[in-house]
Amino acid sequence: MLKTESPSLRLSRKAIMLAAVAAIPHAAFAQEQQAPQDNSALVDEEGEIIVDGTRPIAESEAAALRIQRLSDNLVSVLSADSVGRLPDQNIAQATGRLPGLAVERDQGQARYISIRGAPNYWTTLSFDGINVVSPEGRDARFDSIPSAIASQIIVSKAITPDMPGETVAGNVNIITRSAFDYPGMRAFGKAGGGIAELGDREEYEANLVLSDRWNVGGLGEIGLLVSGSYYQRNMITDNFEIDWERVTQDQRQGAGSRFWARETENKLYRLTRKNWSVSGRLDWRPDDDNEISLRSVYTIFTDFEARDNYIFDMDDRQGDLVANSAPCDVAVNPSPTTTGYADICIGNTPLIGTVYGIDINQRATLRDFAQSIFTNTIEGKHTFGDSGLRFEWLGNYTRSRDDRSVVGEGRFNSPSTRTLRPTIAYDFTNPLRNTPQLFNTLQLSGPTRFQRGAAVTAIDTFTKPLSEFRVADLVDDTDAYTGRAILAYDTEFLGGNATFKAGFQYDQRTKQSVNEQIQLTTAAQFTTIGAPTDYNAFSIDLPFQGKIPMGYTFRYFDIDRVEQVADAARANFPFTRLVDEDYEVRETIYAGFLMGTLRYDWGSIVGGVRVERVENRGIATGITAESADTLFFPSLHVNYNVSENGKFRIGYTTGAARADYDLLRPNVQINDANETISGGNPAIRPERSWGLDSYLEWYIMPQGFMSIGVFYRDVRDVLYTDRRTFNSDALNFGGVDRSGYIFSGIANAGEGRIIGVEMAAQLQLEPFTEDLGLPGWMGGFGITANLTLNDSEATKPAFGTGATAIPARTVRLPGTSDVVYNIGGYYEKYGFSARLQYQRRSTWLDGIANDLTDAGDTYWAADDEMDFSMRYAFNRNFEIYFDASNLLDQPGRRYSEPGNLLTATGTPTPFTDNLTIEFEQFGRRYTGGVRITF
């Protein structure tokens, strides 16, 4: 057992591993306060790290490695102090530097976790071993979870039968803090502030944990822990987006490989994002054989978003261009008889040209998003004396909420008169820039001949009357109930120590989407709510807060004015239910498993099978759809001790990724403004996989670690987003032809696989300074590095018939990166520590296209991140810290790559340009503050 009476604390190999990790950051706090010292001799005679709280990086990493080493399956571990060592305000940032893990970001903040380069929906989220449904659904969103609630994070990369079958790539298990992690009363927390470089915006953060335990005589021991955290950042984001399309009227020479910008837009964000959480845990140990725990965690992420959105509708008069396949002269013509859109005969190209008299669709949008998780668990663990029998049970209720409500949105559109609209000169030759130049539009002789006039810098001088004001309440709630019982028996079997387990688990998850809005479109309605029809009366004179070159100036909308108008709309008009967007999906899972673990001096064997019966029911627009599957998930893991410090692991796992709940709904949603249709597919099949892992790990006492491994996943019925032209008149109601809209929905592709290599190293100089003849101060240097190399592919089925048919082709698995690596260096000694960490994730496939309607497959460009942290501990109770994140200020960029589809269709002209779809940049962030411990 861990002891805290002595001036220092040894982590014995026989220590209780979970208690060790949780206690490490705090065990030394019971010791007498003392000043920082030279800790060059913090290794005992057995080569073990001695924990006294003066070197949290080294101590926590050593404890995490010990958990990893003794695990019966393949895991990576972070302890609580490691979580605080970088600017880790959420779980995604904290785990992103572990071997094989990478993150996907939104507005520059880590949101989703990818394990070994695999799709993020292959990663599941757990609190204390219970899978939790994210507010967004199966795509586990980690930025809504502050890292302050965790005592440790265990990432399982190889799945065992006691884990849900929906885990394919791995599971991120957040172990919450317990009062029994500490020897007595504890209080620790931090407070800080900082700035976001882009827009010079403030940040604030704080957390506090209070814990104590009491001996209550014959009733045993009770422990109580409560915690809270808060993090706020004010942000500015630079963004532009471009929608590409193939134009049917463009039939001139070379048309087969041309794609035109249907619309281009700037989205200018002013954001206030907050994470806060409260949690409590009550533990009762009547005796050494029994423990009951009651746990509750509430965590919420809010996003107050003011978005100024200027959309240039380039294809507004696409019909002016007459289809003609005869070759033409491509010299520039400044006074054409068309708008110029998709017209190479006036000198325009897809990347540079001029379009005359285009429509501006402006949006002034104020949103107040909130995503929350409220999870409550009661759990019991009981040992029946020396019989070898153990029984564990638990019940859990979790509510996840995704509130996407729109406080208010004003839409301002150009009039139909062409001379009141701008002429735009576009230039997309630089994929990192979108700087449209604006001009007045002049009428020439004839009704269809126009010319550009004087240059215009201020876009809001163009006439754009208010056409619509909208308020919307859009809320998705997911209620999840879990019951689990596990019976375990410890015995001797086949010459080894054996543990046999049998378990049953029941899960019921119901997601309900309720949507309603107020939509006002008449002058009388605008008067009632006090909404000015002239945008300039809706705006404020505020200097541009971003840095991206735009080609024009604009006025930000007045947030207070939008809120006033929205309040008036709510007071004067009723909400209308959006019944076509409402749905309810219920998933019920009955699961049982059998597994056994055999432990020998040479290692261990873990094997078993899990069976899951999954029943789904979807209800939408009066339609009910039901489906059911029974799936078997066998697994086997062998761990062999090749030496005292070496371990070889080999494992076989199975899993199934199911489509998200909203994708199982039996209805479609139509967006006439964006000309899109999205639909559910209640008949979609789960994405089934099996895989192999083979790893060699080497542990260098007292704290080093090196590993190399290979992994393979074979996938059937690959899930992908089906994007294509709708090509049907089934939804042509209300006088609107929707046959040309872009349809998107979930679909099954063919087979796929991912194969890769993972390497990791974690070393510190401290144990070797004497042998190398180095001065003692150099012992504080350490390094962590890991590299994952992937190769993936999936078979995309053929699509269409006749001349426009797209044959079956091979693509990457969606969401997979070929290369992921982290490298970091740190120095820790004399109470001072500093750490610099770099991560790179290569390009990954975002969406697979069925045809070339909107320029083919889409990708996210490679992501580079660098963070820095520094701290100094004045004593055991007080330290200061400084964190810097996103030091490279790397933009996020999504793009289309039509080349694969063009090659598949035999188009003679290869396409090599990447067409930017989305670009955004966020700026660097700096924070500093204090940490206290008592």
Side-chain angles (χ1 to χ4, degrees), residues 677-724:
I677 300 171
S678 61
N681 183 355
I684 193 72
R685 297 184 301 276
E687 187 176 63
R688 296 169 294 120
S689 77
W690 64 268
L692 297 172
D693 301 282
S694 180
Y695 276 67
L696 179 63
E697 301 173 347
W698 198 267
Y699 295 85
I700 305 169
M701 300 304 293
Q703 195 213 335
F705 167 72
M706 300 180 71
S707 72
I708 184 170
V710 295
F711 56 90
Y712 176 82
R713 293 291 183 272
D714 183 271
V715 189
R716 297 289 188 274
D717 297 323
V718 173
L719 296 171
Y720 77 102
T721 300
D722 180 16
R723 296 186 299 113
R724 56 181 170 82

Short mmCIF file of all heavy atoms in Angstrom, two decimals, residues 677-724:
data_model
loop_
_atom_site.label_atom_id
_atom_site.label_comp_id
_atom_site.label_asym_id
_atom_site.label_seq_id
_atom_site.Cartn_x
_atom_site.Cartn_y
_atom_site.Cartn_z
N ILE A 677 -30.22 19.14 -49.37
CA ILE A 677 -31.15 18.20 -48.75
C ILE A 677 -30.31 17.20 -47.96
O ILE A 677 -29.33 16.66 -48.48
CB ILE A 677 -31.99 17.45 -49.79
CG1 ILE A 677 -32.82 18.43 -50.63
CG2 ILE A 677 -32.91 16.42 -49.12
CD1 ILE A 677 -33.51 17.78 -51.83
N SER A 678 -30.66 16.99 -46.70
CA SER A 678 -29.97 15.97 -45.90
C SER A 678 -31.00 14.98 -45.40
O SER A 678 -32.14 15.35 -45.10
CB SER A 678 -29.23 16.61 -44.72
OG SER A 678 -30.12 17.28 -43.86
N GLY A 679 -30.60 13.73 -45.30
CA GLY A 679 -31.57 12.71 -44.94
C GLY A 679 -30.99 11.64 -44.04
O GLY A 679 -29.77 11.42 -44.00
N GLY A 680 -31.87 10.97 -43.29
CA GLY A 680 -31.48 9.85 -42.48
C GLY A 680 -31.60 8.55 -43.25
O GLY A 680 -32.15 8.50 -44.35
N ASN A 681 -31.08 7.49 -42.63
CA ASN A 681 -31.11 6.18 -43.28
C ASN A 681 -31.27 5.12 -42.19
O ASN A 681 -30.28 4.58 -41.68
CB ASN A 681 -29.82 5.95 -44.07
CG ASN A 681 -29.83 4.63 -44.83
OD1 ASN A 681 -30.76 3.83 -44.71
ND2 ASN A 681 -28.80 4.39 -45.62
N PRO A 682 -32.51 4.81 -41.80
CA PRO A 682 -32.71 3.84 -40.72
C PRO A 682 -32.27 2.42 -41.08
O PRO A 682 -32.14 1.58 -40.19
CB PRO A 682 -34.23 3.90 -40.47
CG PRO A 682 -34.81 4.47 -41.72
CD PRO A 682 -33.78 5.38 -42.30
N ALA A 683 -32.02 2.16 -42.37
CA ALA A 683 -31.59 0.81 -42.79
C ALA A 683 -30.07 0.68 -42.86
O ALA A 683 -29.56 -0.35 -43.30
CB ALA A 683 -32.20 0.48 -44.14
N ILE A 684 -29.34 1.70 -42.43
CA ILE A 684 -27.88 1.66 -42.54
C ILE A 684 -27.32 0.52 -41.69
O ILE A 684 -27.79 0.25 -40.58
CB ILE A 684 -27.28 3.02 -42.12
CG1 ILE A 684 -25.82 3.13 -42.51
CG2 ILE A 684 -27.45 3.25 -40.62
CD1 ILE A 684 -25.61 3.30 -43.98
N ARG A 685 -26.31 -0.15 -42.20
CA ARG A 685 -25.69 -1.25 -41.47
C ARG A 685 -24.50 -0.73 -40.64
O ARG A 685 -23.83 0.22 -41.03
CB ARG A 685 -25.20 -2.31 -42.45
CG ARG A 685 -26.31 -2.96 -43.26
CD ARG A 685 -25.79 -4.07 -44.15
NE ARG A 685 -24.77 -3.60 -45.11
CZ ARG A 685 -25.05 -3.05 -46.27
NH1 ARG A 685 -26.31 -2.85 -46.64
NH2 ARG A 685 -24.09 -2.66 -47.09
N PRO A 686 -24.21 -1.37 -39.52
CA PRO A 686 -23.04 -0.95 -38.73
C PRO A 686 -21.74 -1.26 -39.48
O PRO A 686 -21.68 -2.19 -40.29
CB PRO A 686 -23.15 -1.76 -37.44
CG PRO A 686 -23.97 -2.95 -37.80
CD PRO A 686 -24.93 -2.48 -38.86
N GLU A 687 -20.74 -0.49 -39.19
CA GLU A 687 -19.41 -0.66 -39.78
C GLU A 687 -18.65 -1.66 -38.92
O GLU A 687 -18.19 -1.33 -37.83
CB GLU A 687 -18.71 0.71 -39.81
CG GLU A 687 -17.40 0.74 -40.54
CD GLU A 687 -16.85 2.16 -40.58
OE1 GLU A 687 -16.55 2.71 -39.50
OE2 GLU A 687 -16.73 2.72 -41.67
N ARG A 688 -18.52 -2.89 -39.37
CA ARG A 688 -17.96 -3.97 -38.57
C ARG A 688 -16.46 -4.11 -38.83
O ARG A 688 -16.00 -3.97 -39.97
CB ARG A 688 -18.67 -5.28 -38.88
CG ARG A 688 -20.15 -5.29 -38.52
CD ARG A 688 -20.88 -6.48 -39.08
NE ARG A 688 -20.93 -6.45 -40.54
CZ ARG A 688 -20.42 -7.37 -41.33
NH1 ARG A 688 -19.80 -8.42 -40.81
NH2 ARG A 688 -20.52 -7.27 -42.64
N SER A 689 -15.71 -4.40 -37.78
CA SER A 689 -14.25 -4.50 -37.93
C SER A 689 -13.68 -5.62 -37.08
O SER A 689 -14.26 -6.03 -36.07
CB SER A 689 -13.59 -3.17 -37.54
OG SER A 689 -13.54 -3.02 -36.14
N TRP A 690 -12.54 -6.11 -37.51
CA TRP A 690 -11.69 -6.95 -36.67
C TRP A 690 -10.26 -6.45 -36.84
O TRP A 690 -9.92 -5.84 -37.86
CB TRP A 690 -11.81 -8.44 -37.03
CG TRP A 690 -11.34 -8.81 -38.42
CD1 TRP A 690 -12.08 -8.87 -39.54
CD2 TRP A 690 -10.00 -9.16 -38.80
NE1 TRP A 690 -11.30 -9.24 -40.62
CE2 TRP A 690 -10.02 -9.43 -40.19
CE3 TRP A 690 -8.79 -9.28 -38.11
CZ2 TRP A 690 -8.88 -9.80 -40.89
CZ3 TRP A 690 -7.65 -9.66 -38.81
CH2 TRP A 690 -7.70 -9.91 -40.19
N GLY A 691 -9.44 -6.70 -35.83
CA GLY A 691 -8.09 -6.15 -35.91
C GLY A 691 -7.07 -6.94 -35.12
O GLY A 691 -7.40 -7.76 -34.25
N LEU A 692 -5.81 -6.69 -35.46
CA LEU A 692 -4.66 -7.31 -34.80
C LEU A 692 -3.73 -6.21 -34.31
O LEU A 692 -3.54 -5.19 -34.99
CB LEU A 692 -3.91 -8.23 -35.75
CG LEU A 692 -4.67 -9.45 -36.28
CD1 LEU A 692 -3.85 -10.15 -37.37
CD2 LEU A 692 -5.00 -10.42 -35.15
N ASP A 693 -3.13 -6.42 -33.13
CA ASP A 693 -2.12 -5.52 -32.58
C ASP A 693 -0.94 -6.35 -32.12
O ASP A 693 -1.11 -7.41 -31.50
CB ASP A 693 -2.67 -4.75 -31.37
CG ASP A 693 -3.88 -3.91 -31.72
OD1 ASP A 693 -3.70 -2.83 -32.29
OD2 ASP A 693 -5.01 -4.34 -31.40
N SER A 694 0.26 -5.88 -32.41
CA SER A 694 1.48 -6.56 -31.96
C SER A 694 2.48 -5.49 -31.56
O SER A 694 2.92 -4.70 -32.41
CB SER A 694 2.05 -7.45 -33.06
OG SER A 694 3.22 -8.10 -32.62
N TYR A 695 2.85 -5.47 -30.28
CA TYR A 695 3.70 -4.39 -29.74
C TYR A 695 4.83 -4.97 -28.90
O TYR A 695 4.65 -5.97 -28.18
CB TYR A 695 2.88 -3.44 -28.86
CG TYR A 695 2.15 -2.38 -29.63
CD1 TYR A 695 1.10 -2.70 -30.49
CD2 TYR A 695 2.50 -1.04 -29.51
CE1 TYR A 695 0.43 -1.74 -31.20
CE2 TYR A 695 1.83 -0.06 -30.23
CZ TYR A 695 0.80 -0.41 -31.07
OH TYR A 695 0.14 0.56 -31.78
N LEU A 696 5.97 -4.32 -28.97
CA LEU A 696 7.09 -4.60 -28.09
C LEU A 696 7.37 -3.35 -27.27
O LEU A 696 7.60 -2.27 -27.82
CB LEU A 696 8.34 -4.99 -28.89
CG LEU A 696 9.60 -5.28 -28.06
CD1 LEU A 696 9.39 -6.47 -27.14
CD2 LEU A 696 10.80 -5.51 -28.98
N GLU A 697 7.31 -3.50 -25.93
CA GLU A 697 7.52 -2.37 -25.01
C GLU A 697 8.76 -2.63 -24.18
O GLU A 697 9.01 -3.75 -23.73
CB GLU A 697 6.31 -2.19 -24.10
CG GLU A 697 5.01 -1.95 -24.84
CD GLU A 697 3.81 -1.95 -23.92
OE1 GLU A 697 3.95 -2.38 -22.74
OE2 GLU A 697 2.72 -1.53 -24.36
N TRP A 698 9.52 -1.57 -23.95
CA TRP A 698 10.74 -1.67 -23.15
C TRP A 698 10.73 -0.56 -22.11
O TRP A 698 10.65 0.62 -22.46
CB TRP A 698 11.98 -1.57 -24.03
CG TRP A 698 13.21 -2.09 -23.34
CD1 TRP A 698 14.12 -1.40 -22.61
CD2 TRP A 698 13.63 -3.46 -23.28
NE1 TRP A 698 15.08 -2.22 -22.11
CE2 TRP A 698 14.81 -3.51 -22.51
CE3 TRP A 698 13.13 -4.64 -23.82
CZ2 TRP A 698 15.50 -4.69 -22.26
CZ3 TRP A 698 13.82 -5.83 -23.57
CH2 TRP A 698 14.99 -5.84 -22.81
N TYR A 699 10.80 -0.94 -20.84
CA TYR A 699 10.73 0.01 -19.73
C TYR A 699 12.12 0.19 -19.13
O TYR A 699 12.76 -0.78 -18.71
CB TYR A 699 9.75 -0.47 -18.67
CG TYR A 699 8.33 -0.51 -19.20
CD1 TYR A 699 7.87 -1.64 -19.90
CD2 TYR A 699 7.48 0.56 -19.04
CE1 TYR A 699 6.58 -1.68 -20.41
CE2 TYR A 699 6.18 0.52 -19.55
CZ TYR A 699 5.75 -0.60 -20.23
OH TYR A 699 4.47 -0.62 -20.74
N ILE A 700 12.59 1.42 -19.14
CA ILE A 700 13.94 1.76 -18.67
C ILE A 700 13.81 2.40 -17.30
O ILE A 700 13.24 3.48 -17.17
CB ILE A 700 14.63 2.73 -19.66
CG1 ILE A 700 14.63 2.14 -21.06
CG2 ILE A 700 16.04 3.06 -19.20
CD1 ILE A 700 15.05 3.11 -22.14
N MET A 701 14.27 1.72 -16.26
CA MET A 701 14.10 2.23 -14.91
C MET A 701 15.00 3.46 -14.71
O MET A 701 16.11 3.50 -15.21
CB MET A 701 14.45 1.15 -13.89
CG MET A 701 13.55 -0.08 -14.03
SD MET A 701 11.81 0.30 -13.92
CE MET A 701 11.71 0.83 -12.21
N PRO A 702 14.51 4.47 -13.97
CA PRO A 702 13.26 4.44 -13.23
C PRO A 702 12.07 5.01 -14.01
O PRO A 702 10.94 4.91 -13.56
CB PRO A 702 13.55 5.35 -12.04
CG PRO A 702 14.47 6.39 -12.62
CD PRO A 702 15.33 5.66 -13.63
N GLN A 703 12.30 5.63 -15.18
CA GLN A 703 11.20 6.33 -15.79
C GLN A 703 11.14 6.23 -17.31
O GLN A 703 10.24 6.77 -17.91
CB GLN A 703 11.24 7.81 -15.38
CG GLN A 703 9.96 8.58 -15.64
CD GLN A 703 10.22 10.03 -16.01
OE1 GLN A 703 11.24 10.56 -15.63
NE2 GLN A 703 9.32 10.63 -16.74
N GLY A 704 12.08 5.59 -17.95
CA GLY A 704 12.10 5.60 -19.40
C GLY A 704 11.18 4.57 -20.02
O GLY A 704 10.75 3.60 -19.38
N PHE A 705 10.89 4.76 -21.30
CA PHE A 705 9.98 3.86 -22.00
C PHE A 705 10.23 3.97 -23.49
O PHE A 705 10.41 5.07 -24.03
CB PHE A 705 8.53 4.25 -21.68
CG PHE A 705 7.51 3.61 -22.58
CD1 PHE A 705 7.22 2.26 -22.47
CD2 PHE A 705 6.82 4.36 -23.52
CE1 PHE A 705 6.27 1.67 -23.29
CE2 PHE A 705 5.87 3.78 -24.34
CZ PHE A 705 5.59 2.44 -24.22
N MET A 706 10.26 2.82 -24.18
CA MET A 706 10.35 2.79 -25.63
C MET A 706 9.43 1.67 -26.13
O MET A 706 9.28 0.64 -25.46
CB MET A 706 11.79 2.54 -26.10
CG MET A 706 12.77 3.60 -25.65
SD MET A 706 14.46 3.28 -26.22
CE MET A 706 14.26 3.62 -27.97
N SER A 707 8.81 1.88 -27.28
CA SER A 707 7.93 0.84 -27.82
C SER A 707 7.87 0.96 -29.33
O SER A 707 8.10 2.03 -29.91
CB SER A 707 6.52 0.96 -27.25
OG SER A 707 5.85 2.09 -27.77
N ILE A 708 7.56 -0.15 -29.97
CA ILE A 708 7.27 -0.20 -31.39
C ILE A 708 6.20 -1.25 -31.60
O ILE A 708 6.22 -2.31 -30.95
CB ILE A 708 8.54 -0.49 -32.23
CG1 ILE A 708 8.20 -0.43 -33.72
CG2 ILE A 708 9.14 -1.84 -31.86
CD1 ILE A 708 9.42 -0.46 -34.62
N GLY A 709 5.25 -0.95 -32.45
CA GLY A 709 4.17 -1.90 -32.68
C GLY A 709 3.56 -1.73 -34.05
O GLY A 709 3.72 -0.71 -34.71
N VAL A 710 2.86 -2.77 -34.48
CA VAL A 710 2.10 -2.72 -35.73
C VAL A 710 0.65 -3.04 -35.41
O VAL A 710 0.35 -3.76 -34.45
CB VAL A 710 2.66 -3.71 -36.78
CG1 VAL A 710 4.07 -3.32 -37.18
CG2 VAL A 710 2.63 -5.14 -36.25
N PHE A 711 -0.26 -2.50 -36.20
CA PHE A 711 -1.67 -2.75 -35.99
C PHE A 711 -2.37 -2.86 -37.34
O PHE A 711 -1.91 -2.31 -38.35
CB PHE A 711 -2.31 -1.66 -35.13
CG PHE A 711 -2.14 -0.27 -35.66
CD1 PHE A 711 -3.05 0.30 -36.54
CD2 PHE A 711 -1.04 0.49 -35.29
CE1 PHE A 711 -2.89 1.58 -37.02
CE2 PHE A 711 -0.85 1.79 -35.77
CZ PHE A 711 -1.79 2.33 -36.64
N TYR A 712 -3.49 -3.55 -37.32
CA TYR A 712 -4.26 -3.77 -38.55
C TYR A 712 -5.74 -3.79 -38.19
O TYR A 712 -6.14 -4.38 -37.18
CB TYR A 712 -3.87 -5.10 -39.19
CG TYR A 712 -4.70 -5.46 -40.43
CD1 TYR A 712 -4.38 -4.93 -41.67
CD2 TYR A 712 -5.80 -6.31 -40.32
CE1 TYR A 712 -5.14 -5.24 -42.80
CE2 TYR A 712 -6.56 -6.63 -41.43
CZ TYR A 712 -6.23 -6.09 -42.67
OH TYR A 712 -6.98 -6.40 -43.78
N ARG A 713 -6.56 -3.10 -38.97
CA ARG A 713 -8.01 -3.16 -38.81
C ARG A 713 -8.65 -3.44 -40.16
O ARG A 713 -8.37 -2.74 -41.14
CB ARG A 713 -8.57 -1.85 -38.25
CG ARG A 713 -8.16 -1.53 -36.82
CD ARG A 713 -8.81 -2.48 -35.83
NE ARG A 713 -8.47 -2.14 -34.45
CZ ARG A 713 -7.39 -2.59 -33.81
NH1 ARG A 713 -6.53 -3.38 -34.45
NH2 ARG A 713 -7.17 -2.25 -32.56
N ASP A 714 -9.48 -4.46 -40.22
CA ASP A 714 -10.22 -4.80 -41.42
C ASP A 714 -11.67 -4.37 -41.20
O ASP A 714 -12.26 -4.65 -40.14
CB ASP A 714 -10.15 -6.31 -41.68
CG ASP A 714 -10.85 -6.70 -42.96
OD1 ASP A 714 -12.07 -6.97 -42.90
OD2 ASP A 714 -10.19 -6.73 -44.01
N VAL A 715 -12.26 -3.68 -42.16
CA VAL A 715 -13.58 -3.06 -41.99
C VAL A 715 -14.52 -3.54 -43.09
O VAL A 715 -14.13 -3.63 -44.26
CB VAL A 715 -13.49 -1.52 -42.01
CG1 VAL A 715 -14.82 -0.91 -41.62
CG2 VAL A 715 -12.38 -1.03 -41.08
N ARG A 716 -15.76 -3.80 -42.72
CA ARG A 716 -16.81 -4.15 -43.67
C ARG A 716 -17.93 -3.11 -43.56
O ARG A 716 -18.22 -2.60 -42.48
CB ARG A 716 -17.39 -5.55 -43.37
CG ARG A 716 -16.38 -6.68 -43.52
CD ARG A 716 -16.04 -6.92 -44.98
NE ARG A 716 -15.21 -8.11 -45.17
CZ ARG A 716 -13.90 -8.14 -45.09
NH1 ARG A 716 -13.26 -7.03 -44.81
NH2 ARG A 716 -13.23 -9.25 -45.28
N ASP A 717 -18.59 -2.83 -44.67
CA ASP A 717 -19.70 -1.86 -44.70
C ASP A 717 -19.25 -0.49 -44.20
O ASP A 717 -19.87 0.11 -43.31
CB ASP A 717 -20.89 -2.36 -43.87
CG ASP A 717 -21.49 -3.64 -44.42
OD1 ASP A 717 -21.54 -3.77 -45.66
OD2 ASP A 717 -21.90 -4.50 -43.63
N VAL A 718 -18.18 0.01 -44.78
CA VAL A 718 -17.61 1.30 -44.37
C VAL A 718 -18.68 2.39 -44.44
O VAL A 718 -19.41 2.51 -45.43
CB VAL A 718 -16.42 1.67 -45.27
CG1 VAL A 718 -15.94 3.08 -44.98
CG2 VAL A 718 -15.29 0.65 -45.09
N LEU A 719 -18.79 3.17 -43.38
CA LEU A 719 -19.73 4.29 -43.35
C LEU A 719 -19.11 5.51 -44.02
O LEU A 719 -17.94 5.83 -43.78
CB LEU A 719 -20.10 4.64 -41.91
CG LEU A 719 -20.87 3.56 -41.12
CD1 LEU A 719 -20.97 3.97 -39.66
CD2 LEU A 719 -22.24 3.34 -41.71
N TYR A 720 -19.89 6.19 -44.84
CA TYR A 720 -19.41 7.43 -45.44
C TYR A 720 -20.59 8.34 -45.73
O TYR A 720 -21.75 7.90 -45.78
CB TYR A 720 -18.60 7.16 -46.71
CG TYR A 720 -19.42 6.83 -47.94
CD1 TYR A 720 -19.66 7.79 -48.92
CD2 TYR A 720 -19.96 5.57 -48.12
CE1 TYR A 720 -20.42 7.49 -50.05
CE2 TYR A 720 -20.72 5.25 -49.23
CZ TYR A 720 -20.94 6.22 -50.19
OH TYR A 720 -21.69 5.92 -51.30
N THR A 721 -20.31 9.62 -45.89
CA THR A 721 -21.34 10.59 -46.21
C THR A 721 -21.55 10.61 -47.72
O THR A 721 -20.64 10.94 -48.48
CB THR A 721 -20.97 11.99 -45.71
OG1 THR A 721 -20.79 11.94 -44.30
CG2 THR A 721 -22.06 13.00 -46.04
N ASP A 722 -22.74 10.24 -48.15
CA ASP A 722 -23.10 10.20 -49.56
C ASP A 722 -23.48 11.61 -50.00
O ASP A 722 -24.47 12.18 -49.52
CB ASP A 722 -24.29 9.23 -49.71
CG ASP A 722 -24.76 9.10 -51.15
OD1 ASP A 722 -24.01 9.51 -52.05
OD2 ASP A 722 -25.87 8.59 -51.36
N ARG A 723 -22.70 12.20 -50.91
CA ARG A 723 -22.97 13.55 -51.43
C ARG A 723 -23.14 13.47 -52.93
O ARG A 723 -22.24 13.00 -53.64
CB ARG A 723 -21.82 14.51 -51.08
CG ARG A 723 -21.64 14.75 -49.59
CD ARG A 723 -20.60 15.81 -49.32
NE ARG A 723 -19.29 15.42 -49.84
CZ ARG A 723 -18.68 16.03 -50.85
NH1 ARG A 723 -19.24 17.04 -51.46
NH2 ARG A 723 -17.49 15.62 -51.26
N ARG A 724 -24.29 13.93 -53.42
CA ARG A 724 -24.57 13.83 -54.85
C ARG A 724 -25.71 14.77 -55.20
O ARG A 724 -26.37 15.33 -54.31
CB ARG A 724 -24.95 12.40 -55.23
CG ARG A 724 -26.13 11.85 -54.42
CD ARG A 724 -26.47 10.44 -54.81
NE ARG A 724 -27.41 9.82 -53.92
CZ ARG A 724 -28.75 9.97 -53.98
NH1 ARG A 724 -29.27 10.76 -54.91
NH2 ARG A 724 -29.54 9.36 -53.13
#
